[in-house]
Amino acid sequence: MKLFHFSEEPGIQIFEPRTIYDQTDAKVWTIDEYHAPHYYFPRACPRVCIWPKDDTSDMDNERFFWDVEN
């Protein structure tokens, strides 16, 4: 599995674990490839991400998704 880390700080060379909120263990937060598009834009940029499911209708697939191979 590939894991990704996104940051608005371009100069990061080493990701140092840090503690946030009331956690006791420091962590480096990562995201899997499937959910990565949530982080392609700056935090202040409004965004909505959607994916088709097995029960997505043909009409919704045609309306909201496209065949990336063609």
Side-chain angles (χ1 to χ4, degrees):
M1 171 193 290
K2 292 180 183 178
L3 294 176
F4 301 88
H5 178 86
F6 293 86
S7 178
E8 294 176 347
E9 299 177 32
I12 295 176
Q13 294 182 17
I14 297 174
F15 293 104
E16 300 284 345
R18 62 185 173 129
T19 303
I20 61 170
Y21 307 115
D22 59 356
Q23 298 171 347
T24 56
D25 297 327
K27 297 175 176 61
V28 173
W29 293 97
T30 62
I31 194 78
D32 62 7
E33 188 171 10
Y34 181 81
H35 292 96
H38 288 283
Y39 299 90
Y40 288 169
F41 304 97
R43 291 180 191 194
C45 179
R47 58 196 178 261
V48 174
C49 298
I50 59 173
W51 286 265
K53 302 185 316 178
D54 291 339
D55 63 344
T56 302
S57 71
D58 289 340
M59 183 188 311
D60 284 345
N61 271 321
E62 290 174 15
R63 183 182 301 159
F64 299 110
F65 305 100
W66 61 90
D67 183 353
V68 295
E69 293 179 11
N70 292 323

